Amino acid sequence: MQNCRRCIRLLGVVRQPHTHCLRPSLSVASDFRRLHRSTLQFSRKRPETNVSALFKPVQVQANANDSEDVGSELVGKLEKAELLKILNKFTQRREIKSLCSENGLDAYLQQQAFGSFRRYCIEAENLPVDLHITFSDITQGAGHIDDIFPYFLRHAKTVFPHLDCMDDLKKISDLRQPANWYTNARAITRKIVFHAGPTNSGKTYHAMERYLSAKSGVYCGPLKLLATEVYNKANERGTPCDLVTGEERKFGISESSPANHVACTVEMTSVNTPYEVAVIDEIQQIRDPQRGWAWTRAFLGLIADEVHVCGEPGSLDLLQKICETTGETVEVRHYDRLTELTVESTALGSLDNVVPGDCIVCFSKHDIYTVSREIEARGKEVAVIYGGLPPGTKLAQAAKFNDPANSCKVMVATDAIGMGLNLSIRRIIFYSLIKPTMNEKGEREIDTISVSSALQIAGRAGRFRTQWEHGFVTAFKSEDLQTLQRILAQTPEPLKQAGLHPTADQIELYAYHLPSSSLSNLMDIFVNLCTVDDSLYFMCNIEDFKFLAEMIQHVPLPLRARYVFCCAPINRKMPFVCSMFLKVARQYSRNEPITFEFIKNNCGWPFKLPKTILDLVHLEAVFDVMDLYLWLSYRFMDLFPEAANVREAQKELDEIIQQGVFQITRLLKNTEASQDGEISSYAMRRVTHVKEPRLPSSTRGRLTERLLAQGLLTPGMLSELRKEWDAQQVGSASSTAKENQESAVDSDDEDNFSGSGRKLRKKRRK
């Protein structure tokens, strides 16, 4: 028999059992199970194990609400050992595990919840009165062990709050109909025009002509360079146009009088402003694992009478399928290449065969440096372009190469030339066909260049209305030529999916239901719970977002501000930029303005001309830090008040970097010379004290260069380390002279050195 809990709640004290309590305890459990099945028959399918592992348990404090031991007064004290036996038996019952599954607790969550419930019951000095009496009934044979389940379930929902809101979470992350997110665009009848063609076919030109002739328009481009080019051309042709990028705003008329035309990067596209004509460039980027969501958002959300889309023909099928969900049709205009492009039958073979108008395409900075130096060693001036350079430096290098009167006739570049720059190239030479990429899981892969990328880069040769209207393509290595010919003979695979990304509003709703979860954890849960129409869409990679979220997790920030910070365009491979990002976030969290003085003190103002490649890499990182400041200044204007000063300093820095790139071969020579000098002085100091095996200079140099290039060391830090090393050596010279004589080692015999070193260490310990 058991005491009635309903009576306990009403009267507070029970001295004698009541007649309606006199029933077999097993029937209580069976009644509960029946009631449970009838009331929870609409519960959703339990989460998959890998999803459940994302939910972090909330720590439950014992005795939070029970300061007095009422249970002991009613039915006596409980023995902890007996309590532990009951709990262990409870967790092992098959019926209990089945009930857990029906309530959304899979094997992982059960294990976590059982452990938490066991600790709670054993460590609590005073259990809740109803749970205390239930345990007492079981120990006295008046209750059944299954009677614990309601209390366990209550505890489990406290530990895992998502159990009560899983349906809500899944509704929030239902992304099957993204077209319906943009009600203003769905309220009008849009004309969709797809300009399909390869590189150098004039497709964007025709779309832009319609844009410039319209009463109002917006151009959405993949790069700041392209948006700036459209901004300049529009204003030169008498069509006032504003520029909007993540880091910059420029006005065709004035700040107080916005122009009817806007040129912007695709992420900055407004889906709330109506236009007559919208142009979305490079639509094939809609499949990009990191940025594809921005093209999807622009294509679905632009409020424009005409939406002109430019890109590869392989994008057509996907666009038509998406338009079926919006009730729109696609008008297709095909374009052919305006100039001839020939794949040569022989590889370049040697840099001696480089001729004016050649552009050698590399896929790593190391190859850029190597090829540039070897070409200049042959007496030919080189223009250099790679992704890490500031826009102004890229344009300066392009102008230098394009100028017929300039002595520079050869370019060495990465695939950054694939879009955004107008170049007069006679021949594209692929130095390699292997390119590092990022897959949909955010993992780095090294694979042969894709058909789409190869055609995009090769198409830069032979530009219409330049001195090289007939373009050529070849490989540097003869073994790559056949592969290149096969790749260029193919057409790009049709696009199958468009990217999506969780919005700030969706993540805020998640945070409301899961207040104890970190932003990175919320993103993981969202991605794993979201429902996407796989026939049309995919969830973009969020690894960069999560990387930044985890970096500033310990910084106290409001959720909306934290989300914005994590959207910042930062290259996480540059530690100096990441460390500055963290410093800025900390300053912001203290509600202290991030001033120009703050930037100067942390970035080494005033800037000097780079003397080595390492100096140049550091200046590029500083430029990115200033970009970060400007990006944040448009989102948090009150705490980033000196954008104008930072922009002026950035222009000055751009000019310094330009001068450094113009002398890149000299920087490479200085880098090697400084490394050799460093190694020589290091060796001399070591000979003075104890002979050790000499490290090859190339190994020592590569390590130093890698640390500096990655931002783990700065030139200033390296100088300080040298001073500290010198001081340590001077201080220990006298005390170690005798031991050094006794333990002299042949520096060319590593085995002897290792053995003597062990003896010396043993002797010192004694």
Side-chain angles (χ1 to χ4, degrees):
M1 298 193 187
Q2 65 178 151
N3 295 325
C4 176
R5 295 174 187 80
R6 180 159 57 87
C7 294
I8 291 174
R9 288 196 298 271
L10 293 173
L11 303 177
V13 177
V14 173
R15 298 303 180 187
Q16 298 294 331
H18 301 269
T19 55
H20 58 274
C21 298
L22 305 178
R23 56 180 175 175
S25 58
L26 284 175
S27 66
V28 176
S30 61
D31 288 348
F32 173 78
R33 283 195 291 269
R34 263 198 310 275
L35 176 63
H36 163 77
R37 292 192 184 100
S38 65
T39 56
L40 297 180
Q41 59 183 331
F42 298 109
S43 62
R44 298 178 69 97
K45 181 181 177 181
R46 64 180 181 179
E48 298 292 336
T49 303
N50 61 339
V51 178
S52 298
L54 298 174
F55 294 100
K56 308 301 180 186
V58 177
Q59 297 299 319
V60 178
Q61 297 295 329
N63 303 327
N65 299 316
D66 297 277
S67 57
E68 298 181 4
D69 194 359
V70 178
S72 296
E73 293 180 8
L74 293 175
V75 295
K77 289 280 187 181
L78 295 173
E79 292 292 335
K80 296 294 184 181
E82 190 67 26
L83 195 60
L84 184 59
K85 290 180 182 179
I86 294 172
L87 289 168
N88 288 336
K89 186 176 180 182
F90 170 77
T91 60
Q92 294 168 7
R93 283 183 58 77
R94 185 177 303 171
E95 294 83 356
I96 296 300
K97 292 181 179 180
S98 177
L99 283 172
C100 287
S101 298
E102 293 176 16
N103 281 272
L105 287 157
D106 63 9
Y108 171 81
L109 295 179
Q110 286 179 34
Q111 180 184 8
Q112 297 289 320
F114 283 147
S116 176
F117 186 62
R118 185 185 296 111
R119 285 191 300 273
Y120 172 80
C121 294
I122 297 299
E123 295 174 3
E125 294 182 9
N126 309 321
L127 288 173
V129 59
D130 50 355
L131 179 58
H132 187 112
I133 292 174
T134 300
F135 277 127
S136 178
D137 288 346
I138 295 171
T139 57
Q140 295 174 18
H144 191 271
I145 197 167
D146 289 358
D147 295 342
I148 301 172
F149 184 78
Y151 307 101
F152 165 74
L153 185 61
R154 181 176 67 189
H155 180 89
K157 289 183 177 181
T158 305
V159 174
F160 293 107
H162 76 276
L163 293 173
D164 270 336
C165 60
M166 183 60 79
D167 287 349
D168 291 335
L169 295 178
K170 291 190 175 182
K171 287 178 183 177
I172 295 167
S173 53
D174 186 347
L175 310 181
R176 286 175 292 184
Q177 296 179 326
N180 294 342
W181 302 347
Y182 308 100
T183 54
N184 292 332
R186 301 291 76 78
I188 65 173
T189 302
R190 305 188 306 173
K191 178 183 178 181
I192 310 294
V193 181
F194 180 39
H195 300 262
T199 305
N200 203 11
S201 61
K203 57 184 183 297
T204 306
Y205 168 81
H206 288 89
M208 291 306 302
E209 286 298 304
R210 179 67 188 97
Y211 164 82
L212 293 171
S213 66
K215 294 178 181 178
S216 64
V218 58
Y219 168 84
C220 314
L223 300 172
K224 187 179 355 180
L225 279 174
L226 282 172
T228 304
E229 181 183 353
V230 170
Y231 163 79
N232 291 329
K233 283 185 176 180
N235 286 293
E236 288 169 4
R237 287 184 51 170
T239 302
C241 179
D242 293 343
L243 174 68
V244 179
T245 69
E247 303 81 15
E248 190 173 16
R249 306 287 189 277
K250 288 185 178 180
F251 303 95
I253 303 174
S254 68
E255 186 173 356
S256 60
S257 180
N260 291 331
H261 287 71
V262 177
C264 64
T265 45
V266 67
E267 286 87 352
M268 300 304 297
T269 303
S270 170
V271 293
N272 299 312
T273 306
Y275 300 99
E276 181 183 349
V277 171
V279 175
I280 306 175
D281 206 359
E282 305 293 350
I283 190 61
Q284 68 273 5
Q285 294 293 321
I286 202 170
R287 67 178 169 198
D288 185 82
Q290 279 75 40
R291 299 177 64 202
W293 62 269
W295 275 265
T296 305
R297 173 177 171 272
F299 185 68
L300 291 174
L302 274 167
I303 310 171
D305 297 330
E306 298 179 24
V307 179
H308 292 256
V309 184
C310 309
E312 296 176 358
S315 309
L316 177 59
D317 288 346
L318 177 60
L319 296 182
Q320 287 177 329
K321 290 178 181 177
I322 292 176
C323 283
E324 288 176 5
T325 68
T326 64
E328 297 165 330
T329 57
V330 181
E331 177 186 325
V332 185
R333 300 177 186 176
H334 291 283
Y335 300 86
D336 295 323
R337 184 177 168 86
L338 297 173
T339 60
E340 190 176 351
L341 182 65
T342 302
V343 182
E344 295 184 340
S345 57
T346 58
L348 187 70
S350 169
L351 293 176
D352 294 329
N353 300 325
V354 169
V355 297
D358 279 354
C359 175
I360 302 172
V361 177
C362 308
F363 295 116
S364 73
K365 268 192 179 181
H366 179 270
D367 288 345
I368 288 278
Y369 298 150
T370 301
V371 173
S372 300
R373 180 169 182 179
E374 290 188 12
I375 292 177
E376 291 208 346
R378 290 163 169 79
K380 297 174 182 177
E381 194 174 343
V382 176
V384 176
I385 293 178
Y386 51 86
L389 292 176
T393 303
K394 291 178 184 175
L395 291 172
Q397 290 289 300
K400 171 184 172 183
F401 175 74
N402 289 338
D403 186 1
N406 196 291
S407 59
C408 175
K409 304 296 182 184
V410 179
M411 173 171 284
V412 180
T414 63
D415 54 344
I417 65 165
M419 60 179 73
L421 291 167
N422 291 323
L423 298 168
S424 179
I425 299 173
R426 174 186 172 273
R427 178 171 60 175
I428 290 287
I429 302 161
F430 285 88
Y431 190 71
S432 169
L433 298 180
I434 304 300
K435 178 185 176 182
T437 58
M438 197 77 70
N439 65 19
E440 63 277 3
K441 297 180 181 179
E443 300 166 341
R444 185 180 175 86
E445 294 180 343
I446 297 180
D447 201 357
T448 305
I449 186 174
S450 68
V451 174
S452 177
S453 296
L455 290 171
Q456 184 85 15
I457 297 168
R460 307 302 287 177
R463 188 171 180 83
F464 185 60
R465 291 180 179 173
T466 65
Q467 60 176 324
W468 312 111
E469 288 209 353
H470 186 167
F472 297 88
V473 184
T474 190
F476 178 77
K477 304 170 187 174
S478 56
E479 58 266 29
D480 287 342
L481 183 59
Q482 189 174 356
T483 303
L484 178 63
Q485 291 171 337
R486 187 177 68 253
I487 291 174
L488 295 179
Q490 301 177 46
T491 56
E493 290 186 6
L495 272 62
K496 297 178 180 178
Q497 294 173 311
L500 296 174
H501 192 276
T503 65
D505 292 336
Q506 290 167 330
I507 297 303
E508 277 191 336
L509 287 172
Y510 256 51
Y512 171 78
H513 290 293
L514 304 171
S516 300
S517 297
S518 67
L519 179 56
S520 175
N521 190 221
L522 289 173
M523 292 293 285
D524 268 335
I525 295 171
F526 186 98
V527 169
N528 282 276
L529 285 184
C530 70
T531 309
V532 176
D533 182 356
D534 293 337
S535 66
L536 291 178
Y537 302 102
F538 71 95
M539 181 58 66
C540 281
N541 180 268
I542 59 169
E543 291 306 311
D544 287 345
F545 185 100
K546 286 173 52 187
F547 175 83
L548 297 181
E550 290 165 2
M551 187 189 303
I552 62 173
Q553 178 56 39
H554 63 286
V555 180
L557 291 170
L559 180 66
R560 177 71 68 155
R562 188 182 300 276
Y563 182 94
V564 172
F565 264 84
C566 295
C567 290
I570 289 178
N571 183 354
R572 60 174 175 167
K573 298 176 185 176
M574 302 182 72
F576 177 75
V577 180
C578 292
S579 66
M580 284 299 298
F581 172 77
L582 181 56
K583 289 180 181 179
V584 168
R586 284 175 177 157
Q587 186 93 338
Y588 178 92
S589 72
R590 295 190 291 266
N591 204 33
E592 297 176 4
I594 295 86
T595 62
F596 181 46
E597 192 68 25
F598 175 90
I599 297 296
K600 290 195 297 184
N601 292 340
N602 285 279
C603 292
W605 179 275
F607 305 122
K608 299 178 181 178
L609 284 174
K611 296 181 180 179
T612 67
I613 285 293
L614 310 177
D615 296 337
L616 179 62
V617 169
H618 179 67
L619 291 179
E620 291 169 6
V622 173
F623 190 94
D624 285 352
V625 170
M626 292 184 169
D627 258 352
L628 171 64
Y629 184 99
L630 296 173
W631 191 89
L632 290 168
S633 71
Y634 284 108
R635 290 148 181 88
F636 307 106
M637 295 182 182
D638 53 337
L639 290 182
F640 292 84
E642 298 191 56
N645 291 334
V646 172
R647 194 178 305 283
E648 286 301 315
Q650 194 182 44
K651 290 179 181 177
E652 178 184 332
L653 178 58
D654 195 342
E655 293 175 0
I656 292 173
I657 293 175
Q658 286 181 37
Q659 296 179 49
V661 175
F662 282 141
Q663 305 177 41
I664 195 165
T665 300
R666 183 183 300 176
L667 300 186
L668 287 165
K669 291 179 180 178
N670 291 345
T671 301
E672 293 182 0
S674 66
Q675 289 169 358
D676 291 341
E678 174 190 341
I679 296 157
S680 299
S681 60
Y682 172 82
M684 289 298 294
R685 288 195 297 272
R686 297 306 298 165
V687 168
T688 305
H689 301 292
V690 56
K691 294 181 180 179
E692 292 187 3
R694 290 185 295 270
L695 295 175
S697 62
S698 59
T699 302
R700 178 77 180 180
R702 282 199 299 270
L703 175 60
T704 308
E705 180 179 0
R706 187 167 65 252
L707 291 173
L708 283 159
Q710 292 177 349
L712 299 175
L713 280 177
T714 64
M717 292 166 61
L718 184 59
S719 176
E720 289 297 320
L721 286 172
R722 288 172 179 163
K723 291 177 183 177
E724 290 181 12
W725 177 257
D726 290 339
Q728 290 175 2
Q729 295 306 303
V730 171
S732 60
S734 58
S735 62
T736 58
K738 184 176 180 180
E739 288 180 338
N740 290 341
Q741 292 173 0
E742 294 175 355
S743 59
V745 179
D746 184 355
S747 61
D748 294 325
D749 189 340
E750 185 174 348
D751 292 335
N752 289 342
F753 171 77
S754 301
S756 301
R758 284 193 295 271
K759 293 177 182 178
L760 179 58
R761 287 192 295 272
K762 185 175 181 181
K763 179 179 179 181
R764 286 177 177 170
R765 284 197 298 271
K766 290 181 179 179

